[in-house]
Amino acid sequence: MPVVRTTLVACAFLLAVPAAAADDDRPFWHPDAGTPAERFELAKRTEPELVAFLRRFPKGADLHNHAGGAIYSDYVIDAARVNGLRYDPVARRFTAGEEAHTVSLDELEADAAMLKAFFETVSMRGWYPNTDDGHYHFFQTFSYLGSAQRTETQRLTEIVRRNRYQNVNYLELMALPTPTEALSRFYRVSWTLDLDDLAASLAPFEPLIDDPVVHASITAWLDERAAEISTELGLSPPLGEPGSDIALGYIGSLLRTGTMERFFVGAVYTFTAMRADDRVVGLNIVAPEDHPASRRQFDDQMRVLDFLWERFDRPAITLHAGELTLRYAPVASMWDRIRRSIDEGHARRIGHGISVAWERDVVGLLEQMARDGVLVEINITSNESILGVRDDRHPFEMYRRAGVPVCLTTDDEGVSRSNLTMEYVKAVMRYDLGYDDIKTISRDCLEYSFLPGGVKGERMAMLETAFTDFEASLVSGYREHQ
Ligand SMILES: [Zn+2]
């Protein structure tokens, strides 16, 4: 069968993967190192080479980034100094008080042990696997981060600056506009929650939903942040204008561990903010999913979301769902958590989805997610440190084999001492992704973002241009302007 043999040889030649030869000593930026895909295979030999490649690789979006957990504690110290605060080494917080046991910022920075204790308490620097529980350590950090009196603009600027450095096209941050004028109107409403009559519960808020004063104050808050961040970073065009080299969207987060009253008001306010300004693109629910209150209130929270989603004309929702393992939750919390978050909570995207394998009719669920385009926001670093899930215990490859779209995301990059580049580095090293794989993931992040259609089209075109520029830079020496 000579014809068949010829064909097979030809196919083998055409399909040959240009893997880096073991004796190839060229760096990936060498003039003769081949196509971008061939250079990527060279970069995969070591983590530093992969960092150098992936830091500038265009990333469509980070779709799962809590602004509260994205800040680095290093800058918290700077803010405390600027704000004239002292440090309380017992409470491990900054304070305006002058108590005898507090120290100045100079004293804090001069005391290596005290400085180490601070950093270890407020970030995952203090997590020592096998001696400290990552889950506990992670969630306690948040109670320490707010004491330095940083402004919202300072926090957002830090996050935008870092992501711009990593060629991230769009940031969909979990942060919510909080203009006093709008919020105070919601808090002044006299009402009671009746879970059996949600329309009656909502009635006292109805006048606020389309109130022009509420809408105007939300828009003014967003305009102000955009202007301040743009000035701080010298963005031209400024944030929010066509062609700005990074875009920013806001997602309101509701606490799943608080009271149902707080959850309801928070949801009504967030949906109102989405109606007021299309820079508020979605809603999420946050806090440990394994907390007893999260488990007990899940039914009620899905009921509230189902009702309000219809009332507000079906806006975009993404939900943390299945950030669970048997170590932290009974199996009954895992057999329908993701499915119900999609079917009842109307999640267009799922955050984490770690417990998917425990879902009833997992095949049907994965088929549904692939068919309906329910993307999973994958948080490799976070899952490893909080849940102890990594490598082949993570469902990343299961989702991809089932055709479910995925996006690599950071979750809490500051607390985790990570960033989006490192999420790509870890995914590539652990799951042997090729250049086409990471381009698909990067594009899907933007495609499944909650950006309004016109803006999304514009950002998608910018991402393709960024790929072209990046690939051209690879073959022309990979030098970068200082
Ligand atoms: Zn999260």
Side-chain angles (χ1 to χ4, degrees), residues 130-448:
N130 303 322
T131 59
D132 187 11
D133 183 88
H135 181 284
Y136 169 76
H137 190 89
F138 176 87
F139 284 106
Q140 63 81 33
T141 60
F142 296 100
S143 65
Y144 296 96
L145 279 168
S147 65
Q149 301 174 8
R150 288 181 94 198
T151 66
E152 190 70 356
T153 295
Q154 287 171 331
R155 287 194 287 257
L156 294 174
T157 302
E158 177 197 326
I159 302 166
V160 172
R161 176 188 278 123
R162 179 187 314 127
N163 281 278
R164 193 172 166 230
Y165 183 62
Q166 297 168 77
N167 215 353
V168 178
N169 186 303
Y170 171 55
L171 263 177
E172 205 157 85
L173 277 185
M174 276 174 267
L176 188 64
T178 50
T180 316
E181 183 139 26
L183 287 175
S184 63
R185 285 178 180 237
F186 278 79
Y187 288 129
R188 282 203 301 266
V189 170
S190 173
W191 72 294
T192 49
L193 177 61
D194 181 353
L195 288 165
D196 294 320
D197 191 349
L198 290 169
S201 305
L202 182 65
F205 295 98
E206 290 281 3
L208 297 178
I209 292 170
D210 293 305
D211 183 329
V213 175
V214 168
H215 285 208
S217 66
I218 290 167
T219 291
W221 190 97
L222 290 161
D223 285 345
E224 212 173 307
R225 295 294 86 70
E228 289 171 354
I229 295 167
S230 300
T231 302
E232 191 67 32
L233 299 179
L235 295 179
S236 179
L239 211 55
E241 296 292 324
S244 181
D245 60 14
I246 188 164
L248 179 59
Y250 293 78
I251 289 191
S253 306
L254 313 176
L255 270 186
R256 65 198 323 159
T257 50
T259 64
M260 281 308 298
E261 281 79 5
R262 195 172 158 193
F263 183 90
F264 187 87
V265 180
V268 175
Y269 175 73
T270 301
F271 282 130
T272 301
M274 291 168 75
R275 180 172 287 216
D277 197 300
D278 62 11
R279 286 170 286 187
V280 185
V281 296
L283 172 148
N284 205 334
I285 56 177
V286 302
E289 210 180 322
D290 54 283
H291 190 280
S294 306
R295 174 172 47 77
R296 284 195 302 267
Q297 297 186 133
F298 182 73
D299 291 357
D300 292 340
Q301 290 171 353
M302 291 304 108
R303 203 159 152 196
V304 167
L305 288 183
D306 186 34
F307 169 76
L308 291 177
W309 179 75
E310 282 291 354
R311 167 63 185 84
F312 281 85
D313 306 321
R314 307 182 168 201
I317 295 175
T318 174
L319 295 176
H320 285 71
E323 189 183 2
L324 298 168
T325 66
L326 278 174
R327 176 176 175 152
Y328 294 108
V331 71
S333 291
M334 297 191 272
W335 66 42
D336 59 6
R337 186 66 62 91
I338 297 171
R339 183 188 300 280
R340 292 184 59 198
S341 295
I342 296 168
D343 292 349
E344 298 168 36
H346 306 287
R348 285 194 212 164
R349 302 197 311 248
I350 290 296
H352 299 283
I354 292 297
S355 61
V356 64
W358 289 106
E359 290 272 336
R360 188 179 284 126
D361 187 23
V362 60
V363 174
L365 174 63
L366 291 171
E367 279 175 6
Q368 178 186 344
M369 293 172 77
R371 184 189 66 234
D372 298 344
V374 178
L375 174 139
V376 182
E377 302 152 2
I378 301 284
N379 300 293
I380 289 178
T381 301
S382 164
N383 298 150
E384 180 176 359
S385 56
I386 300 174
L387 298 176
V389 170
R390 59 170 287 167
D391 301 328
D392 62 1
R393 280 179 285 151
H394 197 290
F396 176 72
E397 293 194 290
M398 185 176 185
Y399 283 122
R400 294 182 73 234
R401 286 185 188 123
V404 176
V406 294
C407 175
L408 295 167
T409 55
T410 53
D411 208 9
D412 297 275
E413 56 182 336
V415 168
S416 298
R417 314 292 293 191
S418 184
N419 58 40
L420 193 54
T421 299
M422 281 312 297
E423 299 303 310
Y424 276 77
V425 168
K426 288 177 185 176
V428 167
M429 294 189 93
R430 294 177 187 182
Y431 305 110
D432 192 26
L433 303 181
Y435 189 63
D436 286 348
D437 296 324
I438 58 169
K439 275 180 93 168
T440 298
I441 290 171
S442 174
R443 286 187 177 115
D444 280 352
C445 293
L446 198 52
E447 179 68 45
Y448 290 87

